[in-house]
Amino acid sequence: MARNIQSLERAAAMLRLLAGGERRLGLSDIASSLGLAKGTAHGILRTLQQEGFVEQDDNSGRYQLGAELLRLGTTYLDVHELRARALVWADDLARSSGESVYLGVLHQQGVLIVHHVFRPDDSRQVLEIGAMQPLHSTALGKVLSAYDPVAHSEVLEADRKAFTDRTVCELDSFEQILDVTRARGYAADVEETWEGVASIAAPIHDRRRMPVGAVGVAGAVERLCRDGEVRPELIAAVRDCARAVSRDLGAGRF
């Protein structure tokens, strides 16, 4: 039988200790509870802190679970609950807009499509559940990058490839797009990823007011845009859908 790695066992015990308490714990508390030397405990905490699994309060110096660990721990539940809550609203959005509807979540350095409703006509379409879309050029990706700090970090580290002559790759210009996205509550992609295709997306939040995904419509530019701008009625429909799913996830009003 393979031997367990002691440092990982200690890190796991430390995380369980922090998860079990109702308050932040100091270094001495953690070391004594686990029977570790302070230097050993501090080294493990420093590593966990660098990875985002543990956070240290600036004033007290005490430790608590970090946002990255909480995110990892709820990812499975979030995605499946998100999809279940979004089914009816996504169908309604497809009917009202006449366009394909996509539900996306952050996955590695891209957007994973977890639900796809076909455009309600007789055209031949391909189911895109499980497909990946880029963060920097799609409406779904821009929304996630604007509202989710982890997605923002991922898109900064990713290779921001130019798919068309409209794709924004330069960092300062891209950050300005994210500022605009946060200010208006939605993102648009007009031929930035695929020629002739436009999309609109808005963020979905859960009961913790955390961004857990994005929902949007995509289709031909001539249908989604008018006079070079995305149609305001489609923007309103997408934002209403995102708010409805967020409310069903316990986020309340946004």
Side-chain angles (χ1 to χ4, degrees), residues 8-37:
L8 293 180
E9 289 181 329
R10 289 172 170 174
M14 198 170 287
L15 293 173
R16 291 192 188 97
L17 178 65
L18 291 170
E22 296 182 359
R23 57 186 176 86
R24 299 183 179 96
L25 297 176
L27 175 59
S28 297
D29 298 324
I30 294 170
S32 61
S33 296
L34 299 178
L36 299 174

PDB file of all heavy atoms in Angstrom, residues 8-37:
ATOM      1  N   LEU A   8       0.424  16.673   3.109  1.00  0.00           N
ATOM      2  CA  LEU A   8      -0.946  16.793   2.615  1.00  0.00           C
ATOM      3  C   LEU A   8      -1.953  16.417   3.694  1.00  0.00           C
ATOM      4  O   LEU A   8      -3.023  17.030   3.804  1.00  0.00           O
ATOM      5  CB  LEU A   8      -1.140  15.915   1.379  1.00  0.00           C
ATOM      6  CG  LEU A   8      -0.376  16.328   0.124  1.00  0.00           C
ATOM      7  CD1 LEU A   8      -0.664  15.377  -1.022  1.00  0.00           C
ATOM      8  CD2 LEU A   8      -0.738  17.758  -0.279  1.00  0.00           C
ATOM      9  N   GLU A   9      -1.613  15.400   4.503  1.00  0.00           N
ATOM     10  CA  GLU A   9      -2.495  15.014   5.606  1.00  0.00           C
ATOM     11  C   GLU A   9      -2.646  16.169   6.597  1.00  0.00           C
ATOM     12  O   GLU A   9      -3.739  16.453   7.088  1.00  0.00           O
ATOM     13  CB  GLU A   9      -1.938  13.787   6.324  1.00  0.00           C
ATOM     14  CG  GLU A   9      -2.041  12.494   5.526  1.00  0.00           C
ATOM     15  CD  GLU A   9      -1.501  11.303   6.304  1.00  0.00           C
ATOM     16  OE1 GLU A   9      -0.579  11.500   7.121  1.00  0.00           O
ATOM     17  OE2 GLU A   9      -2.004  10.193   6.098  1.00  0.00           O
ATOM     18  N   ARG A  10      -1.519  16.836   6.876  1.00  0.00           N
ATOM     19  CA  ARG A  10      -1.561  17.962   7.810  1.00  0.00           C
ATOM     20  C   ARG A  10      -2.361  19.132   7.232  1.00  0.00           C
ATOM     21  O   ARG A  10      -3.115  19.784   7.961  1.00  0.00           O
ATOM     22  CB  ARG A  10      -0.130  18.406   8.146  1.00  0.00           C
ATOM     23  CG  ARG A  10       0.616  17.403   9.026  1.00  0.00           C
ATOM     24  CD  ARG A  10       2.078  17.776   9.173  1.00  0.00           C
ATOM     25  NE  ARG A  10       2.727  16.963  10.178  1.00  0.00           N
ATOM     26  CZ  ARG A  10       4.038  17.000  10.435  1.00  0.00           C
ATOM     27  NH1 ARG A  10       4.819  17.830   9.737  1.00  0.00           N
ATOM     28  NH2 ARG A  10       4.557  16.235  11.383  1.00  0.00           N
ATOM     29  N   ALA A  11      -2.183  19.396   5.947  1.00  0.00           N
ATOM     30  CA  ALA A  11      -2.937  20.474   5.314  1.00  0.00           C
ATOM     31  C   ALA A  11      -4.431  20.170   5.344  1.00  0.00           C
ATOM     32  O   ALA A  11      -5.249  21.060   5.618  1.00  0.00           O
ATOM     33  CB  ALA A  11      -2.463  20.661   3.876  1.00  0.00           C
ATOM     34  N   ALA A  12      -4.790  18.908   5.070  1.00  0.00           N
ATOM     35  CA  ALA A  12      -6.206  18.522   5.101  1.00  0.00           C
ATOM     36  C   ALA A  12      -6.777  18.670   6.505  1.00  0.00           C
ATOM     37  O   ALA A  12      -7.896  19.154   6.688  1.00  0.00           O
ATOM     38  CB  ALA A  12      -6.354  17.086   4.609  1.00  0.00           C
ATOM     39  N   ALA A  13      -6.002  18.268   7.512  1.00  0.00           N
ATOM     40  CA  ALA A  13      -6.456  18.400   8.896  1.00  0.00           C
ATOM     41  C   ALA A  13      -6.644  19.871   9.267  1.00  0.00           C
ATOM     42  O   ALA A  13      -7.584  20.240   9.977  1.00  0.00           O
ATOM     43  CB  ALA A  13      -5.447  17.740   9.838  1.00  0.00           C
ATOM     44  N   MET A  14      -5.765  20.704   8.756  1.00  0.00           N
ATOM     45  CA  MET A  14      -5.844  22.132   9.028  1.00  0.00           C
ATOM     46  C   MET A  14      -7.114  22.735   8.421  1.00  0.00           C
ATOM     47  O   MET A  14      -7.803  23.552   9.047  1.00  0.00           O
ATOM     48  CB  MET A  14      -4.595  22.813   8.463  1.00  0.00           C
ATOM     49  CG  MET A  14      -4.305  24.181   9.003  1.00  0.00           C
ATOM     50  SD  MET A  14      -2.669  24.722   8.470  1.00  0.00           S
ATOM     51  CE  MET A  14      -1.613  23.693   9.506  1.00  0.00           C
ATOM     52  N   LEU A  15      -7.419  22.329   7.204  1.00  0.00           N
ATOM     53  CA  LEU A  15      -8.619  22.838   6.542  1.00  0.00           C
ATOM     54  C   LEU A  15      -9.875  22.365   7.270  1.00  0.00           C
ATOM     55  O   LEU A  15     -10.839  23.126   7.413  1.00  0.00           O
ATOM     56  CB  LEU A  15      -8.642  22.394   5.082  1.00  0.00           C
ATOM     57  CG  LEU A  15      -7.551  22.995   4.186  1.00  0.00           C
ATOM     58  CD1 LEU A  15      -7.573  22.355   2.806  1.00  0.00           C
ATOM     59  CD2 LEU A  15      -7.709  24.505   4.081  1.00  0.00           C
ATOM     60  N   ARG A  16      -9.878  21.117   7.718  1.00  0.00           N
ATOM     61  CA  ARG A  16     -11.038  20.611   8.476  1.00  0.00           C
ATOM     62  C   ARG A  16     -11.200  21.393   9.781  1.00  0.00           C
ATOM     63  O   ARG A  16     -12.325  21.684  10.206  1.00  0.00           O
ATOM     64  CB  ARG A  16     -10.858  19.125   8.772  1.00  0.00           C
ATOM     65  CG  ARG A  16     -10.939  18.221   7.551  1.00  0.00           C
ATOM     66  CD  ARG A  16     -11.043  16.754   7.950  1.00  0.00           C
ATOM     67  NE  ARG A  16     -10.924  15.884   6.799  1.00  0.00           N
ATOM     68  CZ  ARG A  16      -9.797  15.282   6.418  1.00  0.00           C
ATOM     69  NH1 ARG A  16      -8.695  15.453   7.142  1.00  0.00           N
ATOM     70  NH2 ARG A  16      -9.772  14.514   5.363  1.00  0.00           N
ATOM     71  N   LEU A  17     -10.091  21.716  10.420  1.00  0.00           N
ATOM     72  CA  LEU A  17     -10.139  22.474  11.661  1.00  0.00           C
ATOM     73  C   LEU A  17     -10.750  23.851  11.423  1.00  0.00           C
ATOM     74  O   LEU A  17     -11.625  24.298  12.174  1.00  0.00           O
ATOM     75  CB  LEU A  17      -8.724  22.613  12.233  1.00  0.00           C
ATOM     76  CG  LEU A  17      -8.589  23.438  13.531  1.00  0.00           C
ATOM     77  CD1 LEU A  17      -9.311  22.739  14.680  1.00  0.00           C
ATOM     78  CD2 LEU A  17      -7.116  23.641  13.873  1.00  0.00           C
ATOM     79  N   LEU A  18     -10.303  24.526  10.390  1.00  0.00           N
ATOM     80  CA  LEU A  18     -10.835  25.851  10.072  1.00  0.00           C
ATOM     81  C   LEU A  18     -12.298  25.777   9.650  1.00  0.00           C
ATOM     82  O   LEU A  18     -13.079  26.690   9.914  1.00  0.00           O
ATOM     83  CB  LEU A  18     -10.002  26.500   8.967  1.00  0.00           C
ATOM     84  CG  LEU A  18      -8.572  26.899   9.353  1.00  0.00           C
ATOM     85  CD1 LEU A  18      -7.781  27.307   8.115  1.00  0.00           C
ATOM     86  CD2 LEU A  18      -8.595  28.031  10.369  1.00  0.00           C
ATOM     87  N   ALA A  19     -12.674  24.695   8.970  1.00  0.00           N
ATOM     88  CA  ALA A  19     -14.060  24.535   8.524  1.00  0.00           C
ATOM     89  C   ALA A  19     -14.993  24.252   9.684  1.00  0.00           C
ATOM     90  O   ALA A  19     -16.181  24.576   9.639  1.00  0.00           O
ATOM     91  CB  ALA A  19     -14.155  23.403   7.503  1.00  0.00           C
ATOM     92  N   GLY A  20     -14.467  23.673  10.766  1.00  0.00           N
ATOM     93  CA  GLY A  20     -15.312  23.264  11.881  1.00  0.00           C
ATOM     94  C   GLY A  20     -15.569  24.348  12.900  1.00  0.00           C
ATOM     95  O   GLY A  20     -16.458  24.226  13.731  1.00  0.00           O
ATOM     96  N   GLY A  21     -14.813  25.426  12.847  1.00  0.00           N
ATOM     97  CA  GLY A  21     -14.963  26.483  13.837  1.00  0.00           C
ATOM     98  C   GLY A  21     -15.878  27.596  13.375  1.00  0.00           C
ATOM     99  O   GLY A  21     -16.130  27.761  12.195  1.00  0.00           O
ATOM    100  N   GLU A  22     -16.379  28.364  14.343  1.00  0.00           N
ATOM    101  CA  GLU A  22     -17.245  29.496  14.020  1.00  0.00           C
ATOM    102  C   GLU A  22     -16.475  30.815  14.060  1.00  0.00           C
ATOM    103  O   GLU A  22     -17.051  31.885  13.901  1.00  0.00           O
ATOM    104  CB  GLU A  22     -18.421  29.546  14.998  1.00  0.00           C
ATOM    105  CG  GLU A  22     -19.337  28.331  14.909  1.00  0.00           C
ATOM    106  CD  GLU A  22     -20.512  28.436  15.849  1.00  0.00           C
ATOM    107  OE1 GLU A  22     -20.581  29.448  16.580  1.00  0.00           O
ATOM    108  OE2 GLU A  22     -21.355  27.534  15.859  1.00  0.00           O
ATOM    109  N   ARG A  23     -15.175  30.744  14.293  1.00  0.00           N
ATOM    110  CA  ARG A  23     -14.385  31.961  14.358  1.00  0.00           C
ATOM    111  C   ARG A  23     -13.053  31.716  13.675  1.00  0.00           C
ATOM    112  O   ARG A  23     -12.671  30.591  13.379  1.00  0.00           O
ATOM    113  CB  ARG A  23     -14.157  32.353  15.822  1.00  0.00           C
ATOM    114  CG  ARG A  23     -13.470  31.242  16.631  1.00  0.00           C
ATOM    115  CD  ARG A  23     -13.386  31.604  18.106  1.00  0.00           C
ATOM    116  NE  ARG A  23     -12.820  30.500  18.878  1.00  0.00           N
ATOM    117  CZ  ARG A  23     -11.520  30.305  19.044  1.00  0.00           C
ATOM    118  NH1 ARG A  23     -10.658  31.129  18.478  1.00  0.00           N
ATOM    119  NH2 ARG A  23     -11.079  29.298  19.777  1.00  0.00           N
ATOM    120  N   ARG A  24     -12.335  32.806  13.449  1.00  0.00           N
ATOM    121  CA  ARG A  24     -10.997  32.687  12.908  1.00  0.00           C
ATOM    122  C   ARG A  24     -10.067  32.118  13.972  1.00  0.00           C
ATOM    123  O   ARG A  24     -10.265  32.349  15.169  1.00  0.00           O
ATOM    124  CB  ARG A  24     -10.486  34.057  12.441  1.00  0.00           C
ATOM    125  CG  ARG A  24     -11.324  34.703  11.350  1.00  0.00           C
ATOM    126  CD  ARG A  24     -10.675  36.022  10.924  1.00  0.00           C
ATOM    127  NE  ARG A  24     -11.429  36.673   9.868  1.00  0.00           N
ATOM    128  CZ  ARG A  24     -12.326  37.620  10.074  1.00  0.00           C
ATOM    129  NH1 ARG A  24     -12.574  38.029  11.308  1.00  0.00           N
ATOM    130  NH2 ARG A  24     -12.978  38.168   9.075  1.00  0.00           N
ATOM    131  N   LEU A  25      -9.057  31.406  13.539  1.00  0.00           N
ATOM    132  CA  LEU A  25      -8.111  30.789  14.463  1.00  0.00           C
ATOM    133  C   LEU A  25      -6.723  31.377  14.268  1.00  0.00           C
ATOM    134  O   LEU A  25      -6.290  31.619  13.149  1.00  0.00           O
ATOM    135  CB  LEU A  25      -8.053  29.275  14.252  1.00  0.00           C
ATOM    136  CG  LEU A  25      -9.345  28.500  14.533  1.00  0.00           C
ATOM    137  CD1 LEU A  25      -9.167  27.030  14.181  1.00  0.00           C
ATOM    138  CD2 LEU A  25      -9.755  28.656  15.996  1.00  0.00           C
ATOM    139  N   GLY A  26      -6.019  31.568  15.383  1.00  0.00           N
ATOM    140  CA  GLY A  26      -4.658  32.057  15.322  1.00  0.00           C
ATOM    141  C   GLY A  26      -3.681  30.925  15.081  1.00  0.00           C
ATOM    142  O   GLY A  26      -4.018  29.738  15.206  1.00  0.00           O
ATOM    143  N   LEU A  27      -2.441  31.282  14.788  1.00  0.00           N
ATOM    144  CA  LEU A  27      -1.409  30.281  14.521  1.00  0.00           C
ATOM    145  C   LEU A  27      -1.212  29.350  15.703  1.00  0.00           C
ATOM    146  O   LEU A  27      -1.121  28.122  15.532  1.00  0.00           O
ATOM    147  CB  LEU A  27      -0.092  30.989  14.184  1.00  0.00           C
ATOM    148  CG  LEU A  27       1.134  30.094  13.990  1.00  0.00           C
ATOM    149  CD1 LEU A  27       0.918  29.089  12.869  1.00  0.00           C
ATOM    150  CD2 LEU A  27       2.373  30.945  13.727  1.00  0.00           C
ATOM    151  N   SER A  28      -1.164  29.907  16.910  1.00  0.00           N
ATOM    152  CA  SER A  28      -0.965  29.074  18.106  1.00  0.00           C
ATOM    153  C   SER A  28      -2.117  28.092  18.295  1.00  0.00           C
ATOM    154  O   SER A  28      -1.896  26.928  18.651  1.00  0.00           O
ATOM    155  CB  SER A  28      -0.820  29.962  19.349  1.00  0.00           C
ATOM    156  OG  SER A  28       0.328  30.780  19.258  1.00  0.00           O
ATOM    157  N   ASP A  29      -3.346  28.558  18.081  1.00  0.00           N
ATOM    158  CA  ASP A  29      -4.516  27.682  18.216  1.00  0.00           C
ATOM    159  C   ASP A  29      -4.430  26.509  17.248  1.00  0.00           C
ATOM    160  O   ASP A  29      -4.704  25.360  17.613  1.00  0.00           O
ATOM    161  CB  ASP A  29      -5.803  28.469  17.941  1.00  0.00           C
ATOM    162  CG  ASP A  29      -6.008  29.604  18.929  1.00  0.00           C
ATOM    163  OD1 ASP A  29      -5.657  29.428  20.098  1.00  0.00           O
ATOM    164  OD2 ASP A  29      -6.519  30.655  18.502  1.00  0.00           O
ATOM    165  N   ILE A  30      -4.078  26.827  15.996  1.00  0.00           N
ATOM    166  CA  ILE A  30      -4.014  25.792  14.960  1.00  0.00           C
ATOM    167  C   ILE A  30      -2.903  24.801  15.269  1.00  0.00           C
ATOM    168  O   ILE A  30      -3.100  23.577  15.196  1.00  0.00           O
ATOM    169  CB  ILE A  30      -3.794  26.444  13.581  1.00  0.00           C
ATOM    170  CG1 ILE A  30      -5.011  27.280  13.193  1.00  0.00           C
ATOM    171  CG2 ILE A  30      -3.524  25.379  12.514  1.00  0.00           C
ATOM    172  CD1 ILE A  30      -4.803  28.155  11.975  1.00  0.00           C
ATOM    173  N   ALA A  31      -1.721  25.313  15.637  1.00  0.00           N
ATOM    174  CA  ALA A  31      -0.584  24.437  15.918  1.00  0.00           C
ATOM    175  C   ALA A  31      -0.871  23.515  17.095  1.00  0.00           C
ATOM    176  O   ALA A  31      -0.620  22.302  17.027  1.00  0.00           O
ATOM    177  CB  ALA A  31       0.658  25.280  16.189  1.00  0.00           C
ATOM    178  N   SER A  32      -1.413  24.070  18.187  1.00  0.00           N
ATOM    179  CA  SER A  32      -1.672  23.248  19.368  1.00  0.00           C
ATOM    180  C   SER A  32      -2.786  22.234  19.115  1.00  0.00           C
ATOM    181  O   SER A  32      -2.715  21.084  19.584  1.00  0.00           O
ATOM    182  CB  SER A  32      -2.029  24.136  20.560  1.00  0.00           C
ATOM    183  OG  SER A  32      -3.210  24.885  20.294  1.00  0.00           O
ATOM    184  N   SER A  33      -3.808  22.624  18.367  1.00  0.00           N
ATOM    185  CA  SER A  33      -4.916  21.702  18.085  1.00  0.00           C
ATOM    186  C   SER A  33      -4.469  20.506  17.265  1.00  0.00           C
ATOM    187  O   SER A  33      -4.999  19.389  17.428  1.00  0.00           O
ATOM    188  CB  SER A  33      -6.033  22.439  17.341  1.00  0.00           C
ATOM    189  OG  SER A  33      -6.597  23.453  18.124  1.00  0.00           O
ATOM    190  N   LEU A  34      -3.493  20.706  16.398  1.00  0.00           N
ATOM    191  CA  LEU A  34      -3.038  19.635  15.516  1.00  0.00           C
ATOM    192  C   LEU A  34      -1.741  18.994  15.984  1.00  0.00           C
ATOM    193  O   LEU A  34      -1.227  18.081  15.344  1.00  0.00           O
ATOM    194  CB  LEU A  34      -2.850  20.180  14.089  1.00  0.00           C
ATOM    195  CG  LEU A  34      -4.110  20.755  13.421  1.00  0.00           C
ATOM    196  CD1 LEU A  34      -3.775  21.292  12.039  1.00  0.00           C
ATOM    197  CD2 LEU A  34      -5.200  19.698  13.331  1.00  0.00           C
ATOM    198  N   GLY A  35      -1.215  19.484  17.104  1.00  0.00           N
ATOM    199  CA  GLY A  35       0.019  18.920  17.627  1.00  0.00           C
ATOM    200  C   GLY A  35       1.221  19.191  16.746  1.00  0.00           C
ATOM    201  O   GLY A  35       2.111  18.340  16.598  1.00  0.00           O
ATOM    202  N   LEU A  36       1.272  20.379  16.167  1.00  0.00           N
ATOM    203  CA  LEU A  36       2.360  20.745  15.264  1.00  0.00           C
ATOM    204  C   LEU A  36       3.201  21.866  15.866  1.00  0.00           C
ATOM    205  O   LEU A  36       2.716  22.676  16.662  1.00  0.00           O
ATOM    206  CB  LEU A  36       1.803  21.237  13.917  1.00  0.00           C
ATOM    207  CG  LEU A  36       0.961  20.253  13.097  1.00  0.00           C
ATOM    208  CD1 LEU A  36       0.388  20.964  11.876  1.00  0.00           C
ATOM    209  CD2 LEU A  36       1.794  19.057  12.676  1.00  0.00           C
ATOM    210  N   ALA A  37       4.461  21.917  15.473  1.00  0.00           N
ATOM    211  CA  ALA A  37       5.300  23.048  15.822  1.00  0.00           C
ATOM    212  C   ALA A  37       4.782  24.276  15.081  1.00  0.00           C
ATOM    213  O   ALA A  37       4.242  24.172  13.974  1.00  0.00           O
ATOM    214  CB  ALA A  37       6.752  22.768  15.439  1.00  0.00           C
TER     215      ALA A  37
END
